[in-house]
Amino acid sequence: MSNDRSRHLVVICPACGGAGGVANLALNQARELAHYFRVTLLSDSFPATGLDGVTYQPLDPPRFSWLRRFGHVPREIAFTLSAKAALRNLHGSAGVDIVLCHGHAVAALAAGPVQRTLGIPYAMVTHGDIFDRPKGTYDPRLTWFYRQVTRPAYRGAALVVALSPRMRDLALRGGAAPERVVVIPNGIDPAEIGLDERATTPSRAPNARLELLYVGRLSVEKGVDVLIAAAGLLKADGVAFRLRLVGGGPEEGHLRAQVTQLQLERDVAFLGPVPRLALGPLYQSADLVCVPSRSDPLPTVVLEAMASGRPLLGTVVGGLPFMVQDGQTGWLVAPGDPVVLAQRLRRSALDPSALAEQGLAARQVVGERFNWRSIGERLRVQLSRLLDGDLAAG
């Protein structure tokens, strides 16, 4: 294998200065790959602190702020065109050996044309798929745009990095070559969520209030409405609980109305967005972390909860079965069914010892399977094989 440190890897990801899951994954991958490659990160924003071994190259595409909520598609197109121009210039000045794209639009509209004209291969990390999202997830204009770029991105990629087996299946359905698809999940660094790993959380006492936590976007695909409906059933059965919802999103108004309709104002609390460094104590104060998604490729919240020693209650969708071992590190139920969800919550309330045991198992699993150093090494191996003409899917 060639000396990777002589090779120049360019990572392209929008909004790296934000707090989103896509940016977090891109930054962590760039940091780990900088141990093996020369790494340049192209983005329109960056975190305040640098990453060792990673060169930041800013992009300044038009923001189209005056379009307000209609500006998403123009912004994405502007970002990809800006990235394509920067990539060509960078290759002319410093040489580029391989490109790692975060998202279908960047792959199809920026790296794809460069691969065809200059022969620079691109790898793509899939964070979601338009064909795996429930109706109403996106604005119709955005849905149309994603449909235009998703299949070309899969078909043109020299390597597709799928975050879970479900995402691998979607990539294959979208036209990716089977030998060029590899499953490499997200990772977790407990320090990112302000987690004190030395702290111990006492087990829930029998008959104590069940502490439930949801962390994530308040949007259709996340299924928070199903969780609130299940909470209503739980209350009707006389189970004492508190549900805290962390995050914001387009469905917040509807969810607040649902809480009022079910008379759950004293049982459900909307905490709004919370900085990642403040999440650790929130996780550790919960008995059970709920992920009631209708669609979810590989939710970071699962890794955060597991690192905090908390069991998960999730659904059999996307990457959740890949992450949660049903009956060992949490439980999995059918999506969209508040009755089944409430039944599982009720059983959890009656068995605090099982909650504690599964939380301990979850912490062990996340340390073994989802640490960044091993994930970075796995990604490095695949990129090096691609460059050496010896790519093997896995």
Side-chain angles (χ1 to χ4, degrees):
M1 185 175 292
S2 302
N3 179 10
D4 291 341
R5 292 290 296 179
S6 67
R7 290 166 162 173
H8 188 189
L9 166 69
V10 175
V11 180
I12 308 177
C13 180
C16 282
V22 174
N24 179 260
L25 175 57
L27 291 169
N28 278 289
Q29 286 184 346
R31 181 195 64 212
E32 294 302 322
L33 290 171
H35 295 296
Y36 312 107
F37 299 91
R38 290 189 295 124
V39 176
T40 298
L41 175 61
L42 299 183
S43 186
D44 51 353
S45 66
F46 299 95
T49 56
L51 298 174
D52 288 344
V54 178
T55 300
Y56 291 168
Q57 179 158 329
L59 304 176
D60 188 24
R63 303 287 178 172
F64 294 98
S65 302
W66 55 276
L67 288 174
R68 300 184 184 274
R69 68 187 184 92
F70 301 109
H72 195 114
V73 171
R75 280 195 297 271
E76 285 229 29
I77 294 174
F79 177 85
T80 60
L81 295 178
S82 177
K84 182 173 71 172
L87 191 56
R88 289 180 180 276
N89 291 336
L90 193 59
H91 181 60
S93 62
V96 175
D97 295 291
I98 190 168
V99 181
L100 181 61
C101 303
H102 286 267
H104 299 88
V106 168
L109 302 180
V114 171
Q115 178 175 262
R116 291 190 293 272
T117 58
L118 298 179
I120 303 170
Y122 78 83
M124 180 182 75
V125 181
T126 61
H127 294 270
D129 190 297
I130 186 65
F131 304 107
D132 193 44
R133 295 298 174 95
K135 186 177 181 180
T137 299
Y138 301 120
D139 177 271
R141 300 167 188 81
L142 197 55
T143 298
W144 175 86
F145 175 70
Y146 285 158
R147 287 187 181 277
Q148 306 312 304
V149 299
T150 296
R151 294 193 188 280
Y154 284 141
R155 292 170 178 169
L159 175 68
V160 176
V161 179
L163 298 181
S164 69
R166 172 60 178 168
M167 290 306 301
R168 175 189 59 204
D169 294 344
L170 289 167
L172 295 175
R173 188 183 305 174
E179 69 275 11
R180 297 192 179 278
V181 182
V182 60
V183 176
I184 302 177
N186 203 343
I188 181 66
D189 177 1
E192 289 181 358
I193 58 173
L195 190 63
D196 183 357
E197 296 182 273
R198 299 167 299 177
T200 58
T201 305
S203 299
R204 174 174 165 269
N207 301 319
R209 179 176 67 180
L210 182 66
E211 294 286 347
L212 305 174
L213 181 67
Y214 169 84
V215 178
R217 184 169 164 79
L218 303 181
S219 51
V220 171
E221 74 275 13
K222 295 297 186 178
V224 185
D225 58 314
V226 182
L227 178 58
I228 292 174
L233 297 174
L234 209 60
K235 183 172 183 177
D237 284 344
V239 178
F241 71 93
R242 177 176 63 164
L243 169 60
R244 290 175 292 173
L245 305 174
V246 175
E251 290 297 300
E252 183 171 345
H254 297 297
L255 297 174
R256 287 184 178 274
Q258 184 184 11
V259 166
T260 300
Q261 181 183 10
L262 295 175
Q263 299 181 351
L264 294 173
E265 294 93 332
R266 295 185 178 181
D267 308 288
V268 178
F270 289 83
L271 303 188
V274 171
R276 289 200 80 213
L277 279 173
L279 288 176
L282 276 173
Y283 284 119
Q284 290 186 309
S285 66
D287 297 311
L288 188 62
V289 177
C290 302
V291 187
S293 302
R294 293 182 171 94
S295 169
D296 229 328
L298 197 93
T300 304
V301 59
V302 173
L303 301 181
E304 294 172 347
M306 292 173 70
S308 304
R310 299 294 89 188
L312 272 296
L313 175 54
T315 51
V316 190
V317 301
L320 281 159
F322 174 66
M323 306 168 78
V324 180
Q325 297 169 305
D326 187 35
Q328 299 179 45
T329 61
W331 296 273
L332 295 171
V333 299
D337 191 335
V339 175
V340 173
L341 192 58
Q343 289 172 347
R344 181 66 263 176
L345 290 170
R346 192 180 303 112
R347 289 196 290 269
S348 299
L350 297 174
D351 197 352
S353 61
L355 290 171
E357 290 170 5
Q358 296 203 6
L360 290 174
R363 178 178 287 175
Q364 181 177 352
V365 167
V366 80
E368 293 171 353
R369 294 180 57 200
F370 299 101
N371 68 83
W372 276 118
R373 182 49 56 91
S374 64
I375 288 171
E377 167 62 13
R378 289 170 62 186
L379 183 54
R380 190 276 303 175
V381 167
Q382 293 297 327
L383 294 174
S384 296
R385 285 177 175 174
L386 171 59
L387 288 169
D388 292 336
D390 186 31
L391 181 65

